[in-house]
Amino acid sequence: MSKVYTIAVLVGSLRKASINRKVALALAELAPANLKLNIVEIGDLPLYNEDIDQGTPPEAYSTFRQHVSSSDAVLFVTPEYNRSVPAPLKNAIDVGSRPYGQSAWSGKPGAIISVSPGAIGGFGANHHLRQSLVFLDVPCMQQPEAYLGGAGSVFDEAGALSEKSRPFLQAFIDAYGKWVEKQSG
Ligand SMILES: Cc1cc2nc3c(=O)[nH]c(=O)nc-3n(C[C@H](O)[C@H](O)[C@H](O)COP(=O)(O)O)c2cc1C
């Protein structure tokens, strides 16, 4: 049997009714057989502070780092806040990047999908995030780019994925499955 890669999925919105979380869950269902997607929660991570990260770090930091380290790859599903990366997601990235020299991100194949009800699909957040991933040595899938705009209509009132959006998400997650395999090979 071919390898199944575990994917740490980070959702940039903490909202219960988050469209991004729904997209992450939809991607988990659409994922090809070689990927297993698990959402890693970021909402309980204290704001990164080197002072509390000395000696024994907060349990939430250690648990988060362990989740990312033990995954084969990482997937970011995020809204855009003020044309950039939402603070909880940037905080999670910072937590995972420390202690210095022991970054949990290093070398993990990554991909980003930004999701917004707005017309430009969170382009600013998507590209600001890419900037951090370059520094963190996360090889990030280039194509297909995924800016999911008009996301207010991606799910119907019952929460079902619209048939219009399904092919886009399917193509994205299929390409990511191939990308992870290629990078890990
Ligand atoms: C603080 C804040 C800033 C926002 N800034 C942007 C923005 O720059 N671009 C954008 O497209 N939407 C922006 N939005 C709207 C979000 O895209 C929208 O609330 C979206 O539904 C959030 O994703 P979620 O449904 O997964 O929580 C902003 C929302 C908040 C709360």
Side-chain angles (χ1 to χ4, degrees), residues 3-138:
K3 179 170 164 64
V4 175
Y5 298 91
T6 56
I7 312 299
V9 181
L10 278 81
V11 178
S13 168
L14 305 183
R15 230 163 52 86
K16 272 201 213 102
S18 161
I19 305 169
N20 281 269
R21 179 171 284 267
K22 287 180 195 156
V23 167
L25 294 171
L27 289 171
E29 286 200 3
L30 297 172
N34 71 333
L35 300 184
K36 184 168 179 354
L37 274 59
N38 305 305
I39 293 180
V40 180
E41 299 299 340
I42 62 173
D44 63 349
L45 292 173
L47 282 181
Y48 189 74
N49 178 344
E50 283 193 280
D51 291 345
I52 63 170
D53 201 16
Q54 311 291 326
T56 307
E59 199 181 327
Y61 284 8
S62 304
T63 305
F64 176 75
R65 289 166 177 157
Q66 176 55 30
H67 274 145
V68 175
S69 296
S70 63
S71 299
D72 296 306
V74 290
L75 174 61
F76 298 90
V77 185
T78 187
E80 174 178 85
Y81 280 5
N82 299 307
R83 294 283 181 261
S84 190
V85 180
L89 180 54
K90 181 57 167 59
N91 185 50
I93 287 168
D94 294 341
V95 170
S97 73
R98 287 299 196 260
Y100 183 76
Q102 297 173 48
S103 169
W105 306 110
S106 195
K108 308 272 181 202
I112 303 169
I113 176 167
S114 52
V115 179
S116 169
I120 56 177
F123 176 89
N126 193 309
H127 280 260
H128 280 182
L129 184 50
R130 281 174 196 272
Q131 183 171 320
S132 293
L133 297 186
V134 169
F135 180 67
L136 292 169
D137 194 24
V138 172

Side-chain angles (χ1 to χ4, degrees), residues 22-23 25-32 113 144 146 148-151 153-156 158-175:
K22 287 180 195 156
V23 167
L25 294 171
L27 289 171
E29 286 200 3
L30 297 172
I113 176 167
L148 185 54
S153 59
V154 168
F155 297 94
D156 68 18
L161 178 62
S162 82
E163 288 310 313
K164 198 172 148 224
S165 304
R166 183 182 298 269
F168 177 80
L169 293 181
Q170 189 70 66
F172 172 76
I173 200 67
D174 286 349

